[in-house]
């Protein structure tokens, strides 16, 4: 039974260590995306959705 307490305490310490490393990496900007904004304009045409064709009710008659 004491082995369970030891393993539980070690796993909690490891989890806290990974959490601290994650917070440190986020604060240092490791997860900032600097590549996507520079190439977004190259793929802009693919992101534009086709507009629906105007129906008979929305057409203007002269």
């Amino acid at each position: 039974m004491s082995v369970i307490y030891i393993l539980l305490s070690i796993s909690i310490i490891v989890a806290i260590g990974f959490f601290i490393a994650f917070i440190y990496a986020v604060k240092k900007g490791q997860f900032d995306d600097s590549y996507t904004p520079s190439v977004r304009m190259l793929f802009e045409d693919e992101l534009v959705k086709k507009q629906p064709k105007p129906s008979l009710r929305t057409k203007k008659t002269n």
Side-chain angles (χ1 to χ4, degrees):
M1 190 68 173
S2 64
V3 174
I4 293 175
Y5 295 129
I6 293 170
L7 290 175
L8 186 62
S9 61
I10 290 173
S11 65
I12 289 174
I13 290 170
V14 169
I16 290 172
F18 279 116
F19 183 70
I20 290 171
F22 173 73
I23 296 298
Y24 177 76
V26 168
K27 286 190 178 188
K28 290 294 181 180
Q30 184 174 355
F31 295 108
D32 290 345
D33 187 12
S34 60
Y35 177 70
T36 303
S38 63
V39 296
R40 186 177 296 147
M41 62 182 258
L42 299 174
F43 302 109
E44 190 173 286
D45 293 337
E46 295 175 6
L47 297 176
V48 175
K49 294 182 180 179
K50 294 181 181 178
Q51 295 180 356
K53 295 180 181 178
S55 64
L56 294 174
R57 292 182 182 175
T58 59
K59 285 187 177 179
K60 289 183 178 180
T61 56
N62 291 332

